[in-house]
Amino acid sequence: MTIQTADLCDANEGRIQVVAPMFRSFGGRTAFGGPIATLKVFEDNTLVRSALEGAGEGRVLVVDGGGSLRCALVGDQLALLGVNNGWAGVIVYGCIRDAKAIGQMDIGAFALATHPLKSVKRGVGERDIPVSFGGVSFVPGQYVYADEDGVIVSATALL
C-alpha cells in the first residue's frame, strides 16, 4: 500500500480532515495508515502498553497525551510491541523516546518531540473514545493516513 497524503487530499477534497502541521516522523515506516484506535492519557503510558500488547490488525494507535512535553509516552519497548502485534503505527500528541531505535523499526511513529524521561505508571486514562487535537477529531474506526507531508483523517477507507 503506497500512501501519499497529498494525492489522497486531491482525490478526496471535502471528505477528509487535515491535521495541523505539528508532528515529526520517528518510525522506520515513514508512510502508514489504517483504522483508528484511540487513547486519552496524560503523562501515563500504562494504557499505551496495554493497547500495543493487543492485536493491531493494521490499525494506528492515536494517543492524545494532552500535548505534554514533560515525558515520553512511547519508547523502543512499546514500539517493538506494536511491530510484533501488527500495528501500522502510533501518532502521539506528546513525546516519544528511544528515537534512534524506533527509527530502525517497521512501524510508523509520529510525535511532537522526543524526551528522555519515562512516564508514570498509574493506569489512568480512557480508551476507544473520540479525541481531538490539531484541529481534527480522531474517532475510533475511522481512518488516518500519515506521511512526510502530514496527517489526514477520513470517515471511510481511502485505499
Side-chain angles (χ1 to χ4, degrees), residues 34-80:
I36 296 169
T38 64
L39 295 174
K40 185 174 183 74
V41 299
F42 189 74
E43 299 179 0
D44 181 340
N45 75 347
T46 307
L47 292 181
V48 179
R49 173 178 287 280
S50 176
L52 293 173
E53 285 175 337
E57 301 170 335
R59 292 178 295 161
V60 176
L61 183 62
V62 176
V63 181
D64 180 353
S68 173
L69 301 177
R70 299 190 310 191
C71 67
L73 294 174
V74 174
D76 59 348
Q77 293 178 13
L78 297 190
L80 186 57

Side-chain angles (χ1 to χ4, degrees), residues 16-17 84:
I16 53 104
Q17 299 177 73
N84 292 338

Side-chain angles (χ1 to χ4, degrees), residues 17-20 22-23 34-39 60-64 91-93 128-146 151-154:
Q17 299 177 73
V18 179
V19 180
M22 64 175 75
F23 291 106
I36 296 169
T38 64
L39 295 174
V60 176
L61 183 62
V62 176
V63 181
D64 180 353
I91 297 173
V92 181
Y93 184 48
D128 296 322
I129 62 164
V131 297
S132 298
F133 52 84
V136 169
S137 291
F138 298 84
V139 178
Q142 291 189 350
Y143 291 79
V144 63
Y145 302 94
V151 179
I152 64 172
V153 174
S154 172

